[in-house]
Coordinates of all heavy atoms in Angstrom, one line a residue:
M19 N 44.5 -248.3 -2.7 CA 43.6 -247.1 -2.4 C 42.2 -247.6 -2.5 O 41.8 -248.2 -3.4 CB 43.9 -246.0 -3.3 CG 43.1 -244.8 -3.0 SD 43.8 -243.4 -4.0 CE 43.1 -242.1 -3.1
I20 N 41.4 -247.2 -1.5 CA 40.0 -247.5 -1.4 C 39.2 -246.5 -2.2 O 39.3 -245.3 -1.9 CB 39.4 -247.6 0.0 CG1 40.2 -248.7 0.8 CG2 38.0 -247.9 0.0 CD1 39.9 -248.8 2.2
S21 N 38.3 -247.0 -3.1 CA 37.5 -246.0 -3.9 C 36.3 -245.5 -3.0 O 35.9 -246.2 -2.0 CB 37.0 -246.7 -5.1 OG 36.0 -247.6 -4.8
E22 N 35.8 -244.4 -3.4 CA 34.7 -243.8 -2.6 C 33.5 -244.7 -2.7 O 32.8 -244.9 -1.7 CB 34.3 -242.4 -3.2 CG 33.2 -241.8 -2.4 CD 32.9 -240.4 -3.0 OE1 33.9 -239.6 -3.3 OE2 31.7 -240.0 -3.0
K23 N 33.3 -245.4 -3.8 CA 32.1 -246.3 -4.0 C 32.2 -247.5 -3.0 O 31.2 -247.9 -2.4 CB 32.1 -246.8 -5.4 CG 30.9 -247.7 -5.6 CD 30.7 -248.1 -7.0 CE 29.5 -249.0 -7.1 NZ 28.9 -249.0 -8.4
S24 N 33.4 -248.0 -2.7 CA 33.5 -249.1 -1.8 C 33.4 -248.7 -0.4 O 33.1 -249.6 0.5 CB 34.9 -249.8 -2.0 OG 36.0 -249.0 -1.6
Q25 N 33.5 -247.5 -0.1 CA 33.3 -247.0 1.3 C 31.8 -246.7 1.6 O 31.5 -246.6 2.8 CB 34.1 -245.7 1.5 CG 35.6 -246.0 1.5 CD 36.4 -244.7 1.8 OE1 35.8 -243.6 1.8 NE2 37.7 -244.8 2.0
T26 N 31.0 -246.5 0.6 CA 29.6 -246.2 0.9 C 28.7 -247.3 0.5 O 29.0 -248.0 -0.4 CB 29.2 -244.9 0.1 OG1 29.4 -245.1 -1.3 CG2 30.0 -243.7 0.6
M27 N 27.6 -247.4 1.3 CA 26.7 -248.5 1.0 C 25.7 -248.0 -0.1 O 25.2 -246.9 0.0 CB 25.9 -248.8 2.3 CG 24.9 -249.9 2.2 SD 24.1 -250.2 3.7 CE 25.4 -250.9 4.7
T28 N 25.4 -248.8 -1.0 CA 24.4 -248.4 -2.1 C 23.0 -248.6 -1.5 O 22.8 -249.3 -0.5 CB 24.6 -249.3 -3.3 OG1 24.2 -250.6 -3.0 CG2 26.0 -249.3 -3.9
L29 N 22.1 -247.9 -2.1 CA 20.7 -248.0 -1.6 C 20.2 -249.4 -1.7 O 19.5 -249.9 -0.8 CB 19.8 -247.1 -2.5 CG 18.4 -247.0 -2.1 CD1 18.2 -246.6 -0.7 CD2 17.6 -246.1 -3.0
D30 N 20.6 -250.2 -2.7 CA 20.2 -251.6 -2.8 C 20.8 -252.4 -1.7 O 20.1 -253.3 -1.1 CB 20.6 -252.2 -4.1 CG 19.7 -251.7 -5.3 OD1 18.6 -251.2 -5.0 OD2 20.2 -251.7 -6.4
E31 N 22.0 -252.2 -1.3 CA 22.6 -252.9 -0.2 C 21.9 -252.6 1.1 O 21.7 -253.4 1.9 CB 24.1 -252.6 -0.1 CG 25.0 -253.1 -1.2 CD 26.4 -252.5 -1.2 OE1 26.6 -251.4 -0.8 OE2 27.3 -253.3 -1.7
F32 N 21.6 -251.3 1.3 CA 20.9 -250.9 2.5 C 19.6 -251.6 2.6 O 19.2 -252.1 3.6 CB 20.8 -249.4 2.5 CG 19.9 -248.9 3.7 CD1 20.5 -248.7 4.9 CD2 18.6 -248.5 3.5 CE1 19.7 -248.3 6.0 CE2 17.8 -248.1 4.5 CZ 18.4 -248.0 5.8
K33 N 18.8 -251.6 1.5 CA 17.5 -252.2 1.5 C 17.6 -253.7 1.8 O 16.8 -254.2 2.5 CB 16.8 -251.9 0.1 CG 16.3 -250.5 -0.1 CD 15.6 -250.4 -1.4 CE 15.2 -248.9 -1.6 NZ 14.6 -248.7 -2.9
R34 N 18.6 -254.3 1.2 CA 18.7 -255.8 1.4 C 19.1 -256.0 2.9 O 18.5 -256.9 3.5 CB 19.8 -256.4 0.6 CG 19.4 -256.8 -0.8 CD 20.4 -257.6 -1.5 NE 21.7 -257.1 -1.6 CZ 22.1 -256.2 -2.6 NH1 21.3 -255.8 -3.5 NH2 23.3 -255.7 -2.6
G35 N 19.9 -255.2 3.5 CA 20.3 -255.3 4.9 C 19.1 -255.1 5.8 O 18.9 -255.8 6.8
R36 N 18.3 -254.1 5.4 CA 17.1 -253.8 6.2 C 16.1 -254.9 6.2 O 15.6 -255.3 7.2 CB 16.5 -252.5 5.7 CG 15.3 -252.0 6.6 CD 14.8 -250.7 6.0 NE 13.8 -250.1 6.9 CZ 12.5 -250.4 6.8 NH1 12.0 -251.2 5.9 NH2 11.6 -249.9 7.6
E37 N 15.9 -255.4 5.0 CA 14.9 -256.6 4.9 C 15.4 -257.8 5.6 O 14.7 -258.5 6.2 CB 14.7 -256.9 3.4 CG 13.9 -255.8 2.7 CD 12.6 -255.4 3.3 OE1 11.8 -256.4 3.7 OE2 12.3 -254.2 3.5
E38 N 16.7 -258.0 5.6 CA 17.3 -259.1 6.3 C 17.1 -259.0 7.8 O 16.7 -259.9 8.5 CB 18.8 -259.3 6.0 CG 19.5 -260.5 6.6 CD 20.9 -260.6 6.3 OE1 21.3 -260.3 5.1 OE2 21.7 -260.9 7.2
T39 N 17.3 -257.8 8.3 CA 17.1 -257.5 9.7 C 15.7 -257.7 10.1 O 15.4 -258.3 11.1 CB 17.6 -256.0 10.0 OG1 19.0 -255.9 9.7 CG2 17.3 -255.7 11.5
L40 N 14.8 -257.1 9.3 CA 13.3 -257.3 9.6 C 12.9 -258.8 9.6 O 12.2 -259.2 10.4 CB 12.5 -256.5 8.6 CG 12.6 -255.0 8.8 CD1 11.9 -254.3 7.6 CD2 12.0 -254.5 10.1
G41 N 13.5 -259.5 8.6 CA 13.2 -261.0 8.5 C 13.7 -261.7 9.8 O 13.0 -262.6 10.3
T42 N 14.9 -261.4 10.2 CA 15.4 -262.0 11.4 C 14.6 -261.7 12.6 O 14.3 -262.5 13.5 CB 16.9 -261.5 11.7 OG1 17.7 -261.9 10.5 CG2 17.5 -262.2 12.9
L43 N 14.2 -260.4 12.8 CA 13.3 -260.0 13.9 C 12.0 -260.8 13.9 O 11.6 -261.3 14.9 CB 13.1 -258.5 13.9 CG 14.2 -257.6 14.2 CD1 13.9 -256.1 13.9 CD2 14.6 -257.7 15.7
K44 N 11.4 -260.8 12.7 CA 10.1 -261.5 12.6 C 10.2 -263.0 12.9 O 9.4 -263.6 13.5 CB 9.5 -261.3 11.2 CG 8.1 -261.7 11.0 CD 7.5 -261.3 9.7 CE 6.1 -261.6 9.6 NZ 5.4 -261.1 8.5
A45 N 11.3 -263.6 12.4 CA 11.5 -265.0 12.7 C 11.7 -265.3 14.1 O 11.4 -266.4 14.6 CB 12.8 -265.5 11.9
H46 N 12.1 -264.3 14.9 CA 12.3 -264.5 16.4 C 11.1 -263.9 17.2 O 11.2 -263.7 18.4 CB 13.6 -263.9 16.8 CG 14.7 -264.8 16.4 ND1 15.3 -264.6 15.2 CD2 15.4 -265.8 17.0 CE1 16.3 -265.5 15.1 NE2 16.4 -266.2 16.1
G47 N 10.0 -263.6 16.5 CA 8.8 -263.1 17.2 C 8.7 -261.7 17.5 O 7.8 -261.2 18.2
Y48 N 9.5 -260.8 16.8 CA 9.5 -259.4 17.1 C 8.8 -258.7 15.8 O 9.2 -259.0 14.7 CB 10.9 -258.8 17.3 CG 11.5 -259.3 18.5 CD1 12.4 -260.4 18.5 CD2 11.3 -258.7 19.7 CE1 13.1 -260.8 19.6 CE2 11.9 -259.2 20.9 CZ 12.8 -260.3 20.8 OH 13.4 -260.7 21.9
E49 N 7.9 -257.8 16.1 CA 7.3 -257.0 15.1 C 7.6 -255.6 15.4 O 6.8 -254.9 16.1 CB 5.7 -257.3 15.0 CG 5.3 -258.6 14.5 CD 5.5 -258.8 13.0 OE1 5.5 -257.8 12.3 OE2 5.7 -260.0 12.6
L50 N 8.6 -255.0 14.8 CA 9.0 -253.7 15.1 C 9.0 -252.9 13.8 O 9.5 -253.3 12.8 CB 10.4 -253.6 15.7 CG 10.6 -254.2 17.1 CD1 12.1 -254.1 17.5 CD2 9.8 -253.5 18.1
D51 N 8.5 -251.7 13.9 CA 8.7 -250.7 12.8 C 9.9 -249.9 13.1 O 10.0 -249.1 14.0 CB 7.5 -249.8 12.7 CG 7.6 -248.7 11.6 OD1 8.7 -248.7 10.9 OD2 6.6 -248.0 11.4
L52 N 11.0 -250.3 12.4 CA 12.3 -249.7 12.7 C 12.3 -248.2 12.6 O 13.2 -247.5 13.2 CB 13.4 -250.3 11.9 CG 13.6 -251.8 12.1 CD1 14.7 -252.3 11.2 CD2 13.9 -252.1 13.6
G53 N 11.3 -247.6 12.0 CA 11.3 -246.1 11.9 C 10.8 -245.5 13.2 O 11.0 -244.3 13.5
D54 N 10.3 -246.3 14.1 CA 9.8 -245.9 15.4 C 10.8 -246.2 16.6 O 10.5 -245.8 17.7 CB 8.4 -246.5 15.8 CG 7.3 -246.1 14.8 OD1 7.4 -245.0 14.2 OD2 6.3 -246.8 14.7
W55 N 11.8 -246.9 16.3 CA 12.7 -247.3 17.3 C 14.2 -246.9 17.0 O 14.6 -246.9 15.9 CB 12.7 -248.8 17.5 CG 11.3 -249.3 17.9 CD1 10.2 -249.5 17.1 CD2 10.9 -249.6 19.3 NE1 9.2 -249.9 17.9 CE2 9.6 -249.9 19.2 CE3 11.6 -249.5 20.5 CZ2 8.9 -250.3 20.4 CZ3 10.9 -249.8 21.6 CH2 9.5 -250.2 21.6
L56 N 14.9 -246.6 18.1 CA 16.3 -246.2 18.0 C 17.2 -247.0 18.9 O 16.7 -247.3 20.0 CB 16.5 -244.7 18.3 CG 15.8 -243.7 17.4 CD1 15.9 -242.3 18.0 CD2 16.4 -243.7 16.0
T57 N 18.4 -247.2 18.6 CA 19.4 -247.7 19.6 C 19.6 -246.6 20.6 O 19.3 -245.4 20.4 CB 20.7 -248.1 18.9 OG1 21.3 -246.9 18.4 CG2 20.5 -249.1 17.8
I58 N 20.2 -247.0 21.8 CA 20.5 -246.1 22.8 C 21.5 -245.0 22.3 O 21.2 -243.8 22.5 CB 21.1 -246.8 24.0 CG1 20.1 -247.6 24.8 CG2 21.8 -245.8 25.0 CD1 20.6 -248.4 25.9
A59 N 22.5 -245.4 21.5 CA 23.4 -244.4 21.0 C 22.8 -243.4 20.0 O 23.0 -242.2 20.1 CB 24.6 -245.2 20.3
N60 N 21.9 -244.0 19.1 CA 21.2 -243.1 18.2 C 20.2 -242.2 18.9 O 20.0 -241.0 18.5 CB 20.6 -243.9 17.1 CG 21.6 -244.5 16.1 OD1 22.7 -244.0 16.0 ND2 21.2 -245.5 15.4
Y61 N 19.5 -242.7 19.9 CA 18.6 -241.9 20.7 C 19.4 -240.7 21.3 O 18.9 -239.6 21.3 CB 17.9 -242.7 21.7 CG 16.8 -241.9 22.5 CD1 15.5 -241.8 22.0 CD2 17.2 -241.2 23.6 CE1 14.6 -241.1 22.7 CE2 16.2 -240.4 24.3 CZ 14.9 -240.4 23.8 OH 14.0 -239.6 24.5
A62 N 20.5 -241.0 22.0 CA 21.3 -240.0 22.6 C 21.8 -238.9 21.6 O 21.7 -237.7 21.9 CB 22.5 -240.7 23.4
K63 N 22.2 -239.4 20.5 CA 22.7 -238.4 19.5 C 21.5 -237.6 19.0 O 21.7 -236.3 18.9 CB 23.3 -239.2 18.3 CG 23.9 -238.3 17.2 CD 24.4 -239.1 16.0 CE 25.6 -239.8 16.3 NZ 26.2 -240.5 15.1
K64 N 20.4 -238.1 18.7 CA 19.3 -237.4 18.2 C 18.8 -236.3 19.2 O 18.4 -235.2 18.8 CB 18.1 -238.3 17.8 CG 16.9 -237.6 17.3 CD 15.8 -238.5 16.9 CE 14.6 -237.7 16.4 NZ 13.5 -238.6 15.8
Y65 N 18.7 -236.7 20.5 CA 18.2 -235.8 21.5 C 19.3 -235.0 22.2 O 19.0 -234.2 23.1 CB 17.3 -236.5 22.4 CG 16.0 -236.9 21.7 CD1 15.8 -238.2 21.2 CD2 14.9 -236.0 21.5 CE1 14.7 -238.6 20.5 CE2 13.8 -236.4 20.9 CZ 13.7 -237.7 20.4 OH 12.5 -238.1 19.7
G66 N 20.5 -235.1 21.8 CA 21.6 -234.3 22.3 C 21.9 -234.6 23.8 O 22.2 -233.6 24.6
I67 N 21.9 -235.9 24.2 CA 22.2 -236.2 25.6 C 23.2 -237.3 25.6 O 23.4 -238.0 24.5 CB 20.9 -236.6 26.4 CG1 20.2 -237.8 25.7 CG2 20.0 -235.5 26.6 CD1 19.0 -238.3 26.4
D68 N 23.8 -237.6 26.7 CA 24.8 -238.7 26.8 C 24.1 -240.0 26.9 O 23.0 -240.1 27.5 CB 25.6 -238.5 28.1 CG 26.8 -239.4 28.2 OD1 27.9 -239.0 27.6 OD2 26.6 -240.5 28.8
S69 N 24.7 -241.0 26.3 CA 24.0 -242.4 26.3 C 23.9 -242.9 27.7 O 23.0 -243.7 28.0 CB 24.8 -243.4 25.5 OG 26.1 -243.5 25.9
H70 N 24.8 -242.5 28.7 CA 24.7 -242.9 30.1 C 23.4 -242.4 30.7 O 22.8 -243.1 31.5 CB 25.9 -242.5 30.9 CG 27.1 -243.2 30.4 ND1 28.0 -242.7 29.5 CD2 27.6 -244.4 30.8 CE1 29.0 -243.6 29.3 NE2 28.8 -244.6 30.1
V71 N 23.0 -241.2 30.3 CA 21.7 -240.6 30.8 C 20.5 -241.5 30.3 O 19.6 -241.8 31.1 CB 21.5 -239.2 30.3 CG1 20.2 -238.6 30.7 CG2 22.6 -238.3 30.9
V72 N 20.6 -241.9 29.1 CA 19.5 -242.8 28.6 C 19.4 -244.1 29.3 O 18.3 -244.5 29.7 CB 19.7 -243.0 27.0 CG1 18.6 -243.9 26.5 CG2 19.7 -241.7 26.3
T73 N 20.6 -244.7 29.5 CA 20.6 -245.9 30.3 C 20.1 -245.8 31.7 O 19.3 -246.6 32.2 CB 22.1 -246.5 30.3 OG1 22.5 -246.6 29.0 CG2 22.2 -247.8 31.0
N74 N 20.5 -244.6 32.3 CA 19.9 -244.3 33.7 C 18.4 -244.2 33.6 O 17.7 -244.6 34.5 CB 20.6 -243.1 34.2 CG 20.4 -242.8 35.6 OD1 19.8 -243.6 36.3 ND2 20.7 -241.6 36.1
W75 N 17.9 -243.5 32.6 CA 16.4 -243.3 32.5 C 15.7 -244.6 32.4 O 14.7 -244.8 33.0 CB 16.1 -242.4 31.3 CG 16.4 -241.0 31.5 CD1 16.9 -240.3 32.6 CD2 16.3 -240.0 30.5 NE1 17.0 -239.0 32.3 CE2 16.7 -238.7 31.0 CE3 15.9 -240.0 29.2 CZ2 16.7 -237.5 30.3 CZ3 15.9 -238.8 28.4 CH2 16.3 -237.6 29.0
I76 N 16.3 -245.5 31.7 CA 15.7 -246.9 31.5 C 15.7 -247.6 32.9 O 14.7 -248.1 33.3 CB 16.5 -247.7 30.5 CG1 16.4 -247.1 29.1 CG2 16.0 -249.2 30.5 CD1 17.3 -247.7 28.1
R77 N 16.8 -247.5 33.6 CA 16.9 -248.2 34.9 C 15.9 -247.6 35.9 O 15.3 -248.3 36.7 CB 18.3 -248.1 35.4 CG 18.6 -248.9 36.6 CD 20.0 -248.9 37.1 NE 20.5 -247.6 37.4 CZ 21.4 -246.9 36.7 NH1 22.0 -247.5 35.6 NH2 21.8 -245.7 37.0
R78 N 15.8 -246.3 35.9 CA 14.9 -245.6 36.9 C 13.4 -245.6 36.5 O 12.6 -245.2 37.2 CB 15.4 -244.2 37.1 CG 16.7 -244.1 37.8 CD 17.1 -242.6 38.1 NE 16.6 -241.8 37.0 CZ 16.5 -240.5 37.0 NH1 17.0 -239.8 38.1 NH2 16.1 -239.8 36.0
G79 N 13.1 -246.0 35.2 CA 11.7 -246.0 34.8 C 11.3 -244.7 34.1 O 10.1 -244.6 33.9
V80 N 12.2 -243.8 33.9 CA 11.8 -242.5 33.2 C 11.3 -242.9 31.8 O 10.3 -242.4 31.3 CB 13.0 -241.5 33.2 CG1 12.6 -240.3 32.3 CG2 13.3 -241.1 34.6
I81 N 12.0 -243.8 31.2 CA 11.6 -244.4 29.9 C 10.8 -245.7 30.3 O 11.4 -246.6 30.8 CB 12.7 -244.7 29.0 CG1 13.5 -243.4 28.6 CG2 12.2 -245.4 27.7 CD1 14.8 -243.6 27.8
P82 N 9.5 -245.7 30.1 CA 8.7 -246.9 30.5 C 9.2 -248.2 29.8 O 9.7 -248.2 28.7 CB 7.3 -246.5 30.0 CG 7.3 -245.1 29.8 CD 8.7 -244.7 29.4
A83 N 9.0 -249.3 30.6 CA 9.4 -250.6 30.1 C 8.8 -250.9 28.7 O 9.4 -251.6 27.9 CB 9.0 -251.7 31.1
D84 N 7.6 -250.5 28.5 CA 7.0 -250.8 27.2 C 7.5 -250.0 26.0 O 7.2 -250.2 24.9 CB 5.4 -250.7 27.2 CG 4.9 -249.3 27.5 OD1 5.7 -248.4 27.9 OD2 3.8 -249.0 27.2
C85 N 8.4 -249.1 26.3 CA 9.1 -248.3 25.3 C 10.5 -248.7 25.1 O 11.3 -248.0 24.4 CB 9.0 -246.8 25.7 SG 7.4 -246.1 25.7
V86 N 10.9 -249.8 25.7 CA 12.2 -250.4 25.5 C 12.1 -251.9 25.2 O 11.3 -252.6 25.8 CB 13.0 -250.3 26.9 CG1 14.4 -250.9 26.7 CG2 13.1 -248.9 27.3
V87 N 12.9 -252.3 24.2 CA 12.9 -253.7 23.8 C 14.3 -254.2 23.7 O 15.2 -253.5 23.1 CB 12.1 -254.0 22.5 CG1 12.7 -253.3 21.3 CG2 11.9 -255.4 22.3
E88 N 14.6 -255.3 24.3 CA 15.9 -255.9 24.2 C 15.9 -257.0 23.2 O 15.0 -257.9 23.2 CB 16.4 -256.4 25.6 CG 17.8 -256.8 25.6 CD 18.3 -257.1 27.0 OE1 17.9 -256.3 27.9 OE2 19.1 -258.0 27.2
L89 N 16.8 -257.0 22.3 CA 16.8 -258.0 21.2 C 18.0 -259.0 21.4 O 19.1 -258.7 20.9 CB 16.9 -257.3 19.8 CG 15.8 -256.2 19.6 CD1 16.2 -255.4 18.3 CD2 14.5 -256.9 19.4
P90 N 17.7 -260.1 22.0 CA 18.8 -261.1 22.2 C 19.4 -261.6 20.9 O 20.5 -261.9 20.8 CB 18.1 -262.3 22.9 CG 16.8 -261.8 23.4 CD 16.4 -260.5 22.6
V91 N 18.6 -261.7 19.8 CA 19.0 -262.2 18.6 C 20.1 -261.2 18.0 O 20.9 -261.6 17.1 CB 17.8 -262.3 17.6 CG1 17.2 -261.0 17.2 CG2 18.2 -263.1 16.4
F92 N 20.1 -260.0 18.4 CA 21.1 -259.0 18.0 C 22.0 -258.6 19.1 O 22.3 -257.5 19.4 CB 20.5 -257.8 17.3 CG 19.8 -258.1 16.0 CD1 18.5 -257.9 15.8 CD2 20.6 -258.5 14.9 CE1 17.9 -258.2 14.6 CE2 20.0 -258.8 13.7 CZ 18.6 -258.6 13.5
N93 N 22.5 -259.6 19.8 CA 23.5 -259.4 20.9 C 23.0 -258.6 22.0 O 23.7 -257.7 22.6 CB 24.8 -258.9 20.3 CG 26.0 -259.3 21.1 OD1 26.0 -260.3 21.8 ND2 27.1 -258.5 21.0
N94 N 21.7 -258.7 22.3 CA 21.0 -258.0 23.4 C 21.0 -256.5 23.3 O 20.9 -255.8 24.3 CB 21.6 -258.4 24.8 CG 21.3 -259.8 25.1 OD1 20.2 -260.4 24.8 ND2 22.3 -260.5 25.7
I95 N 21.0 -256.0 22.0 CA 20.9 -254.6 21.8 C 19.5 -254.1 22.3 O 18.5 -254.8 22.2 CB 21.1 -254.2 20.4 CG1 21.3 -252.7 20.2 CG2 20.0 -254.7 19.5 CD1 21.9 -252.3 18.8
R96 N 19.5 -252.9 22.9 CA 18.2 -252.4 23.4 C 17.8 -251.3 22.4 O 18.6 -250.4 22.1 CB 18.4 -251.8 24.8 CG 18.5 -252.9 25.8 CD 18.4 -252.4 27.2 NE 19.7 -251.8 27.6 CZ 19.9 -251.2 28.8 NH1 19.0 -251.2 29.7 NH2 21.1 -250.7 29.0
M97 N 16.5 -251.3 22.1 CA 15.9 -250.3 21.2 C 14.9 -249.5 22.0 O 14.3 -250.1 22.9 CB 15.2 -251.0 20.0 CG 16.1 -251.9 19.2 SD 17.3 -251.0 18.2 CE 16.2 -250.3 16.9
I98 N 14.9 -248.2 21.8 CA 14.0 -247.3 22.5 C 13.0 -246.6 21.5 O 13.4 -246.2 20.5 CB 14.8 -246.2 23.2 CG1 15.9 -246.8 24.1 CG2 13.9 -245.2 23.9 CD1 16.9 -245.9 24.5
R99 N 11.8 -246.6 21.9 CA 10.8 -245.9 21.1 C 11.2 -244.5 20.9 O 11.6 -243.8 21.9 CB 9.4 -246.0 21.7 CG 8.3 -245.5 20.8 CD 6.9 -245.7 21.3 NE 6.6 -247.1 21.6 CZ 6.2 -248.0 20.8 NH1 6.1 -247.7 19.5 NH2 5.9 -249.2 21.1
D100 N 11.1 -244.0 19.7 CA 11.6 -242.6 19.4 C 10.6 -241.6 19.7 O 9.7 -241.3 19.0 CB 11.9 -242.6 17.9 CG 12.5 -241.2 17.4 OD1 12.9 -240.4 18.3 OD2 12.6 -241.0 16.2
Q101 N 10.7 -241.1 21.0 CA 9.9 -240.0 21.4 C 10.7 -239.3 22.6 O 11.5 -239.9 23.2 CB 8.5 -240.5 21.9 CG 8.6 -241.4 23.1 CD 7.2 -242.0 23.4 OE1 6.5 -242.4 22.6 NE2 6.9 -242.0 24.7
A102 N 10.4 -238.1 22.9 CA 11.0 -237.4 24.0 C 10.5 -237.9 25.3 O 9.2 -238.0 25.5 CB 10.8 -235.9 23.8
Y103 N 11.3 -238.1 26.3 CA 10.9 -238.6 27.6 C 11.1 -237.6 28.7 O 10.6 -237.7 29.8 CB 11.6 -239.9 27.9 CG 11.2 -241.0 27.0 CD1 12.0 -241.4 26.0 CD2 10.0 -241.7 27.2 CE1 11.7 -242.4 25.1 CE2 9.7 -242.7 26.4 CZ 10.5 -243.1 25.3 OH 10.1 -244.1 24.5
R104 N 11.8 -236.5 28.5 CA 12.1 -235.5 29.5 C 11.8 -234.2 28.9 O 12.1 -233.9 27.8 CB 13.5 -235.5 30.0 CG 13.7 -236.6 31.0 CD 13.5 -236.0 32.4 NE 13.5 -237.0 33.4 CZ 14.0 -236.8 34.6 NH1 14.5 -235.7 35.0 NH2 13.9 -237.7 35.5

């Protein structure tokens, strides 16, 4: 049986993971404040739209290119600046 503690990340584990992520980004030339950026999935969830809509907006330029960053170091994940676009 899995205990509740083993299923949840502690605050220290989260902080270590966040610092590791920021270190990796910085080592590859990216300076991002992760509080200002969301993944496509998290953006869609926050604003109550389908992730396919967000991808379409990126492709059509509704979300400007300077508000999207692709991170090859993290398997080409795309981050979107956290603001309403429509």
Side-chain angles (χ1 to χ4, degrees):
M19 182 168 198
I20 299 173
S21 71
E22 184 176 319
K23 183 174 181 156
S24 67
Q25 290 180 353
T26 59
M27 183 181 292
T28 67
L29 183 56
D30 287 338
E31 290 170 329
F32 174 80
K33 286 179 181 177
R34 275 194 305 275
R36 183 175 188 274
E37 291 305 315
E38 183 179 320
T39 299
L40 290 172
T42 301
L43 287 171
K44 190 171 186 174
H46 287 87
Y48 295 97
E49 291 286 334
L50 294 177
D51 179 354
L52 295 180
D54 294 338
W55 296 84
L56 298 170
T57 64
I58 290 174
N60 288 338
Y61 183 90
K63 183 186 288 187
K64 179 176 180 176
Y65 290 97
I67 56 178
D68 189 87
S69 62
H70 292 93
V71 172
V72 179
T73 303
N74 190 11
W75 286 355
I76 293 169
R77 188 177 59 249
R78 292 184 326 169
V80 172
I81 299 176
D84 65 340
C85 294
V86 179
V87 65
E88 189 168 322
L89 302 172
V91 68
F92 290 116
N93 209 22
N94 293 322
I95 194 167
R96 287 189 283 180
M97 302 291 286
I98 302 164
R99 189 175 301 278
D100 183 12
Q101 65 186 42
Y103 293 99
R104 278 268 173 147

